[in-house]
Amino acid sequence: YSPGYIGGWSAAHYWSLTEQLFNTTVVLTAKKVKKRDVFVHGDRFLIKTVIPYLMFGTREVRKGSLKMEVSDPSKTVLDILAYPSIGGGYRQVIEIMGNYLDSKNKNIDLLKQYAVRMDNGSVYKRMGFILESNFSSESGLIKYCANKLTTGLARLDPDLECSRLITKWKLWVPDHGFAG
């Protein structure tokens, strides 16, 4: 799946941003693929095709003689904000965000640089809302996200029914789980 890298919940687990174990390895690739859910030698892979300019923010990792690219912690967080399904859904995304903010890998400047490079308005909406709702001590980053809002509306989790609009963040959220 070259060019590609291990990302999503797989990278989050690698960087200790989640203790959740998934049976499927997430691969992000710029290659167009017909099958998104594949088995290779008994291992299951979820393939997410992304725009080629999103192929950055990785580190080479060795496992025995095998070399692979894994999204670094900051890119991992942003990828799952862009595509919550590869993070396990919004509840897992919140956990991963919190663990990132508490980790030695926290790098707010790099997170901002990567977010600008990704050029995805939904990332700022989701990140700002999640931070404000769960990690209010990150006021500088919350303000940064608020200043980067785009005009359209997004969903906190595109795979869920989101019937409540948080106008401040231009974000549809599920009825349950948020006081917002």
Side-chain angles (χ1 to χ4, degrees):
Y1 298 104
S2 184
Y5 60 91
I6 306 297
W9 61 62
S10 304
H13 184 74
Y14 179 82
W15 297 113
S16 300
L17 300 177
T18 184
E19 293 179 7
Q20 187 79 21
L21 288 175
F22 293 88
N23 294 327
T24 304
T25 301
V26 176
V27 176
L28 288 90
T29 180
K31 186 176 182 176
K32 292 185 181 186
V33 295
K34 290 182 182 180
K35 292 179 118 182
R36 295 178 2 144
D37 191 9
V38 297
F39 286 88
V40 178
H41 302 295
D43 293 320
R44 187 174 180 186
F45 294 87
L46 172 66
I47 312 302
K48 174 73 178 162
T49 300
V50 297
I51 300 166
Y53 74 79
L54 295 176
M55 304 303 294
F56 68 90
T58 64
R59 294 190 191 159
E60 185 177 272
V61 172
R62 289 185 178 267
K63 190 171 185 178
S65 62
L66 182 64
K67 291 189 302 187
M68 62 188 119
E69 294 291 318
V70 176
S71 57
D72 70 28
S74 299
K75 185 66 163 45
T76 299
V77 168
L78 292 170
D79 281 344
I80 66 170
L81 285 166
Y83 314 107
S85 64
I86 68 168
Y90 81 89
R91 292 182 193 274
Q92 276 297 119
V93 172
I94 293 168
E95 175 194 330
I96 291 167
M97 173 71 83
N99 290 336
Y100 172 80
L101 295 170
D102 288 339
S103 77
K104 66 180 179 5
N105 292 308
K106 175 183 175 180
N107 185 334
I108 299 301
D109 289 335
L110 186 60
L111 197 70
K112 290 176 182 178
Q113 288 171 25
Y114 282 1
V116 167
R117 193 167 170 188
M118 287 177 75
D119 192 31
N120 181 330
S122 296
V123 166
Y124 295 111
K125 294 168 187 174
R126 292 179 184 129
M127 182 166 37
F129 175 75
I130 288 170
L131 289 169
E132 187 174 69
S133 301
N134 300 277
F135 311 104
S136 59
S137 63
E138 295 293 334
S139 58
L141 187 53
I142 293 168
K143 193 177 293 186
Y144 179 80
C145 290
N147 289 329
K148 292 287 191 176
L149 291 182
T150 55
T151 57
L153 301 175
R155 288 179 171 211
L156 178 63
D157 188 332
D159 292 335
L160 294 179
E161 176 71 29
C162 294
S163 56
R164 201 164 134 232
L165 179 62
I166 306 299
T167 54
K168 175 180 180 178
W169 292 107
K170 300 180 182 182
L171 191 68
W172 289 99
V173 301
D175 274 335
H176 60 284
F178 292 103

